[in-house]
């Protein structure tokens, strides 16, 4: 891995409260505390920072210094968020600004955006050297991570099961020259050294990928103990059994926070235009040479992308995947904003109806 791909600076843990640093607290959050008490109504001066480690149907689990509580939902918090906890009421009185937010189109018919995690520094995009491996899927995850302002790293597990792990690595390396790619045999080798550049005190890392690729196995290997259940995959198609069922933030002995997530069945992007641009930066650079600035690279004259395909310097399959992701993202972003607009309009008209009823009642 080139040195340039390693994280340059790790927030100095001694600049902030050490026990909080072990939960991922950095100067970015510390700086937000000043001025809170005056600017936020209902803010308790005794409020203390706590991190959301799990989101349940009706509650959040928050952990802080000498705090481990279940509290009601607040501020649309997601896993990884920092909430200021009022020790008296045991409720959240503020959510800190996020350093990053990973979101996707929620699975299902109605289009809305689902937050997956906040305040993640590094996203380990996990796939395995078997039938799960798929460049198009990896590109999606990498776009998601770029869009969220995190650093993506591709991890290819089960190197022990492949005759040619280097072949998988080479394919994954074609995705982006900004993304480090590692092949690991997590069964027989401790991954701590290979992942050490990212797995540091005060950092927060997240494992994302399909079911059965070995995310929880990695979490357990890094912690040196069983934090999460793991289970064998199906023999016929190498698919996992959805062993992890909810997102949970764990603490590693070295003070790195690590998020284990359930395998995603499908990952649809929404509002990810800039993340997609980051992944396909090479094609965007070439497309800048097309005669027309809005060239669709189909039948336009003097199209640099088509010229690249013709001379073999551009992979037509990659162009197709780029266009497909762009279209999907545009479609989902539009549909999601319509859903929000529809909800707002519905809430407004419902509000009017209620007000009308209240008026009617008062007249009676
Ligand atoms: N041979 C081999 N098996 C591995 C490796 N990493 C994980 N496994 C196995 O893969 C299976 C699935 O691993 P899990 O860690 O449960 O996978 P997961 O990604 O957490 O799956 P979900 O929780 O369903 O999303 C388990 O049987 C692991 O022992 C590896 O590097 N080599
Ligand atoms: Mg798991
Ligand atoms: Zn073109």
């Amino acid at each position: 891995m080139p040195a340039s791909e390693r994280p340059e600076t790790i927030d100095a843990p001694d600049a902030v409260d050490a026990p909080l640093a072990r939960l991922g607290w950095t100067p970015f959050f510390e700086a937000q505390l000043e001025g809170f008490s005056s600017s936020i109504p209902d803010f308790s001066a005794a409020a203390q920072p706590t991190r959301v480690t799990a989101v349940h149907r009706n509650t959040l689990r928050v952990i802080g210094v000498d705090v481990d509580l279940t509290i009601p939902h607040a501020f649309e918090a997601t896993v990884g968020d920092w909430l200021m906890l009022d020790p008296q009421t045991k409720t959240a009185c503020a959510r800190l600004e996020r350093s990053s937010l990973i979101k996707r189109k929620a699975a299902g018919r109605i289009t809305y955006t689902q937050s997956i995690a906040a305040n993640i520094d590094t996203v380990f995009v996990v796939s395995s050297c078997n039938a799960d491996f798929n460049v198009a899927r990896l590109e999606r995850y990498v776009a998601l991570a770029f869009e969220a302002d995190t650093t993506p790293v591709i991890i290819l597990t089960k190197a022990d099961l492949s005759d040619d792990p280097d072949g998988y690595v080479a394919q994954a390396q074609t995705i982006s020259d900004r993304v480090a790619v590692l092949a690991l045999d997590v069964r027989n080798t401790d991954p701590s050294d290979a992942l050490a550049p990212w797995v540091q005190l005060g950092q927060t890392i997240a494992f994302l990928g399909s079911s059965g690729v070995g995310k929880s196995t990695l979490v357990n290997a890094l912690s040196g103990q069983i934090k999460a259940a793991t289970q064998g995959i199906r023999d016929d198609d190498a698919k996992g059994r959805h062993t992890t069922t909810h997102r949970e933030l764990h603490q590693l002995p070295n003070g790195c926070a690590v998020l284990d997530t359930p395998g995603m069945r499908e990952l649809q992007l929404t509002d990810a235009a800039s993340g997609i641009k980051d992944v396909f930066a090479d094609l965007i650079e070439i497309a800048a040479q097309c005669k027309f600035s809005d060239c669709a690279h189909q039948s336009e004259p003097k199209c640099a992308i088509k010229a690249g395909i013709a001379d073999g310097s551009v992979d037509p399959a990659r162009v197709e995947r780029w266009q497909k992701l762009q279209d999907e993202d545009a479609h989902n972003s539009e549909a999601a904003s319509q859903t929000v607009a529809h909800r707002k309009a519905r809430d407004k008209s419902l509000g009017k109806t209620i007000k009308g009823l209240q008026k009617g009642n008062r007249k009676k």
Side-chain angles (χ1 to χ4, degrees), residues 186-214:
V186 190
R187 275 245 172 115
N188 304 301
T189 316
D190 182 352
S192 302
D193 284 347
L195 302 183
W198 303 278
V199 180
Q200 300 262 343
L201 169 64
Q203 290 283 295
T204 305
I205 59 172
F207 288 105
L208 299 185
S210 309
S211 176
V213 294

Side-chain angles (χ1 to χ4, degrees), residues 241-247 261-263:
R241 299 169 198 269
H242 294 278
T243 308
T244 305
T245 52
H246 68 279
R247 284 163 280 147
T261 65

Side-chain angles (χ1 to χ4, degrees), residues 217-259:
T217 304
L218 277 162
V219 169
N220 292 339
L222 289 175
S223 27
Q225 51 176 291
I226 304 300
K227 294 262 190 195
T230 63
Q231 196 182 183
I233 58 173
R234 302 195 305 219
D235 287 337
D236 48 349
D237 57 4
K239 283 204 187 333
R241 299 169 198 269
H242 294 278
T243 308
T244 305
T245 52
H246 68 279
R247 284 163 280 147
E248 188 161 355
L249 199 64
H250 303 276
Q251 274 176 277
L252 298 182
N254 75 342
C256 181
V258 47
L259 177 68

Side-chain angles (χ1 to χ4, degrees), residues 9 42 71 103 115 138 192 194 223 237 269 283 314 320 362:
T9 50
D42 305 329
I71 64 166
K103 54 191 174 22
S115 295
L138 289 174
S192 302
S223 27
D237 57 4
L269 299 181
L283 296 182
V314 170
E320 225 171 88
R362 275 200 296 275

Side-chain angles (χ1 to χ4, degrees), residues 50-353:
T50 55
R51 195 153 198 205
V52 178
T53 61
V55 174
H56 303 295
R57 189 180 289 272
N58 298 314
T59 55
L60 305 170
R61 181 174 175 198
V62 294
I63 295 187
V65 178
D66 299 327
V67 174
D68 185 346
L69 281 174
T70 300
I71 64 166
H73 279 271
F75 302 102
E76 296 186 358
T78 188
V79 178
D81 261 322
W82 282 98
L83 294 176
M84 297 305 292
L85 182 83
D86 183 329
Q88 236 80 59
T89 60
K90 304 261 187 297
T91 57
C93 53
R95 187 189 76 204
L96 299 197
E97 190 195 323
R98 295 156 168 165
S99 62
S100 65
L101 177 65
I102 303 175
K103 54 191 174 22
R104 65 159 178 172
K105 174 191 166 294
R109 209 168 48 82
I110 301 173
T111 308
Y112 72 97
T113 306
Q114 179 195 19
S115 295
I116 297 175
N119 304 319
I120 302 294
D121 298 297
T122 303
V123 169
F124 287 121
V125 176
V126 189
S127 182
S128 41
C129 301
N130 63 13
D132 179 74
F133 185 89
N134 178 311
V135 170
R137 179 157 356 98
L138 289 174
E139 282 167 346
R140 276 169 193 266
Y141 279 103
V142 171
L144 180 87
F146 274 141
E147 180 69 34
D149 288 327
T150 67
T151 302
V153 174
I154 296 176
I155 298 185
L156 303 175
T157 57
K158 313 196 187 186
D160 52 306
L161 299 184
S162 167
D163 295 334
D164 181 25
D166 291 344
Y168 286 100
V169 170
Q171 280 189 68
Q173 277 168 336
T174 64
I175 292 171
S176 167
D177 54 10
R178 285 172 53 193
V179 181
V181 181
L182 309 164
L184 300 176
D185 160 9
V186 190
R187 275 245 172 115
N188 304 301
T189 316
D190 182 352
S192 302
D193 284 347
L195 302 183
W198 303 278
V199 180
Q200 300 262 343
L201 169 64
Q203 290 283 295
T204 305
I205 59 172
F207 288 105
L208 299 185
S210 309
S211 176
V213 294
K215 300 179 294 297
S216 301
T217 304
L218 277 162
V219 169
N220 292 339
L222 289 175
S223 27
Q225 51 176 291
I226 304 300
K227 294 262 190 195
T230 63
Q231 196 182 183
I233 58 173
R234 302 195 305 219
D235 287 337
D236 48 349
D237 57 4
K239 283 204 187 333
R241 299 169 198 269
H242 294 278
T243 308
T244 305
T245 52
H246 68 279
R247 284 163 280 147
E248 188 161 355
L249 199 64
H250 303 276
Q251 274 176 277
L252 298 182
N254 75 342
C256 181
V258 47
L259 177 68
D260 190 14
T261 65
M264 290 190 201
R265 283 192 176 82
E266 69 162 351
L267 171 59
Q268 286 255 329
L269 299 181
T270 183
D271 289 322
S274 95
I276 295 169
K277 273 192 186 132
D278 286 341
V279 177
F280 296 99
D282 54 332
L283 296 182
I284 287 167
E285 205 180 312
I286 296 168
Q289 309 301 319
C290 294
K291 181 171 165 37
F292 299 106
S293 61
D294 62 347
C295 182
H297 325 301
Q298 304 287 332
S299 51
E300 292 86 344
K302 300 214 170 133
C303 168
I305 294 281
K306 278 199 304 178
I309 293 173
D311 72 17
S313 60
V314 170
D315 174 7
R318 185 166 158 84
V319 174
E320 225 171 88
R321 295 196 301 268
W322 171 43
Q323 292 182 318
K324 188 170 174 230
L325 267 194
Q326 271 181 321
D327 292 349
E328 173 190 305
D329 177 63
H331 173 81
N332 287 339
S333 307
E334 167 72 19
S337 69
Q338 274 176 6
T339 307
V340 172
H342 173 76
R343 273 198 196 146
K344 277 192 182 149
R346 190 196 54 194
D347 292 351
K348 206 173 162 189
S349 82
L350 189 67
K352 274 187 183 163
T353 312

